[in-house]
Amino acid sequence: MSTPRTIIRFSALILMVATLGWWMAAGAHRGWSMNRVPQTMTDEFTGLDYVEYQDRFVPGIDILGGGIALAALALTVSFFIRPKTKTN
């Protein structure tokens, strides 16, 4: 039988791994999150470069920090939950 402490700690671990995995899979952007990504294009007639924006979400360090902070908070809360004592 799982105790609430174990469930919270396991949930914190899953949250931390999932946040890190999503951040890395989506591009591991080390700046703030972006909902529009700049892409440099070249005009085929003039050869000049210009910037075009794609509507795409890229999670940044703020999402990573928030997920890890939430997991750390859950882990900290689990230490304040007392285990049940058996009474005979």
Side-chain angles (χ1 to χ4, degrees), residues 1-64:
M1 188 164 109
S2 297
T3 63
R5 293 171 57 160
T6 307
I7 292 170
I8 292 174
R9 288 177 184 172
F10 187 67
S11 298
L13 177 67
I14 288 174
L15 177 63
M16 188 178 304
V17 169
T19 302
L20 184 63
W22 178 50
W23 179 73
M24 290 179 72
H29 183 63
R30 292 183 302 271
W32 295 108
S33 296
M34 297 187 302
N35 59 357
R36 289 179 47 197
V37 180
Q39 178 125 13
T40 304
M41 307 291 279
T42 303
D43 188 277
E44 58 188 65
F45 296 112
T46 62
L48 297 174
D49 292 335
Y50 64 97
V51 176
E52 197 171 279
Y53 288 92
Q54 294 179 345
D55 289 330
R56 175 172 57 124
F57 181 74
V58 178
I61 199 78
D62 51 336
I63 299 291
L64 177 65

